[in-house]
Amino acid sequence: MADQPHRHDHDSGEGLLSVEEAREKVLSQIQPLAPLELPLPEAFGCVLAQDVVATADLPEFASSAMDGFAVRASDVAGASPSGPVELKIVGRAMIGRRPESTVGGGETVRIATGAPVPGGSDAIVPIEDVELVGETVRIFDGVPVGKHVRPAGEDVREGQLLVGKGKRLGPPELGLLANAGFPHPLVHPRPRVVVLSTGDELVPPSEAPEFGQVHDSNAYTIFGALREVGAIPTLAGIVRDDVDQLKETVLSHLIQADAFVSSGGVSVGERDVVKAAFFRRGELEFFKVAMQPGMPQGFGFIEGKPFFGLPGNPVSVFVSFEMFIRPAILKMMGRSQLFRPEISATLAADVSGPVGKTQFARVNVIRTAEGWIAEPTGGRGSNLISTVSRANGLAIVPAGVETAREGEKVKVMLFRASED
Ligand code: AMP
Ligand code: MG
């Protein structure tokens, strides 16, 4: 219950960090992960760490857009239905190959869609517009230079910026890099994050709890949130409220971790194992944030790897992840847009919170003819995870406001688009 404080000075927010201060404290210490050259499939969704410049024209060669005949436009300029021009077929141009011959005056080369345009020719006459007569073709109309030719460099010129540093590699960027022959772009990798749950009372979801035990749910909330933001989570399991076991588990995962997230054990109780394990070594700092839910937080570095110590209550875990860890992971991934979108919505019911703290109320936001309406999804207890499951946003009731009233506008941070 430590993150639902009853002491009055906490409710007033006195001596606590604001959400913005806490977020700044964390983010100012987080750096993007060192870039790596990753194969395209692994680089998908990652941020490019350097400009990629085209080393050749795209496409690299002029090709035909039609099945037909490659001609010199000047040869057929005078062609008409009553006075066709006859050209000698001197070879073929097939896809994936150098054309068999060039096109001289009075000559033509039979060409397939996508095949390189033979030297000497500058236009394509589609097969359906010609008449084949033995080794020659008859052409009944003039064609402008370039007709049905896809020129080299039409898409990108050699030396032109292909994809800029800082761009997130989505489907078209992946295709463009493949097209231009960059199979291992330099990107900020996805952080590998080790997830720990602390608590003597915890059992895995696969086990039936004895009276008083609870299923470890936080690990799964955190796992999903990490996956969603693009990190690579590893579940390190349940750690007892035992300092040595926690240290051992953390140290044994160091080699494969870019960051750690633990839940539980960061408040003031005597069994608060995260605090006991790291506090004295000065590696983690513990602070209280003027927010509800989610007040106590631990943050620091173990052997240079960020360690996020979240409170134990499931809603606090969700909200703390959204406020602090999600933007930090995005920053590690080299992203510049770190925060969720916020909209302004009208409250469908009163929302109360401690006056000195920012209250994050779980709401379901729907769009109506009158604008966005935010419907609270349940009580404010930080153990009520189903209230998050029914929600798509967190309504922000700022410090200084005890009750936001039905009909009033509030800011809502959307954490998913809809209820699907
Ligand atoms: P703590 O911060 O360790 O005192 O935990 C606060 C509350 O959160 C207690 O009721 C715990 O049982 C609960 N809790 C802690 N860790 C978990 C977890 N991994 N899954 C579900 N509930 C948890
Ligand atoms: Mg605990």
Side-chain angles (χ1 to χ4, degrees), residues 198-199 201 241 264-265 272:
T198 70
E201 75 282 26
D241 287 319
D272 284 318

Side-chain angles (χ1 to χ4, degrees), residues 224-305:
L226 285 167
R227 266 286 180 85
E228 197 215 40
V229 70
I232 304 169
T234 301
L235 296 182
I238 295 165
V239 180
R240 298 290 155 222
D241 287 319
D242 175 285
V243 168
D244 290 333
Q245 199 198 336
L246 177 63
K247 282 184 180 174
E248 209 176 288
T249 308
V250 169
L251 295 178
S252 72
H253 283 89
L254 258 179
I255 191 127
Q256 63 185 91
D258 296 308
F260 292 88
V261 179
S262 70
S263 64
V266 295
S267 49
V268 290
E270 57 188 51
R271 304 226 61 166
D272 284 318
V273 62
V274 177
K275 216 164 177 177
F278 298 107
F279 187 40
R280 275 185 209 92
R281 290 164 66 187
E283 289 161 317
L284 292 204
E285 203 186 328
F286 293 86
F287 44 93
K288 293 194 160 63
V289 185
M291 64 191 270
Q292 215 250 340
M295 195 181 67
Q297 304 282 333
F299 174 69
F301 290 85
I302 307 296
E303 308 281 340
K305 314 279 175 79

Side-chain angles (χ1 to χ4, degrees), residues 148-173:
H148 302 309
V149 173
R150 296 172 177 154
E154 187 183 22
D155 197 3
V156 181
R157 286 270 173 214
E158 180 182 342
Q160 200 178 315
L161 181 66
L162 206 58
V163 187
K165 177 181 168 160
K167 178 84 177 174
R168 186 175 180 213
L169 302 181
E173 288 73 33

Side-chain angles (χ1 to χ4, degrees), residues 326-327 330-331 334-341:
R326 190 174 187 278
L330 288 171
K331 191 168 177 192
R335 300 273 287 276
S336 43
Q337 184 64 53
L338 304 185
F339 305 123
R340 297 274 199 191

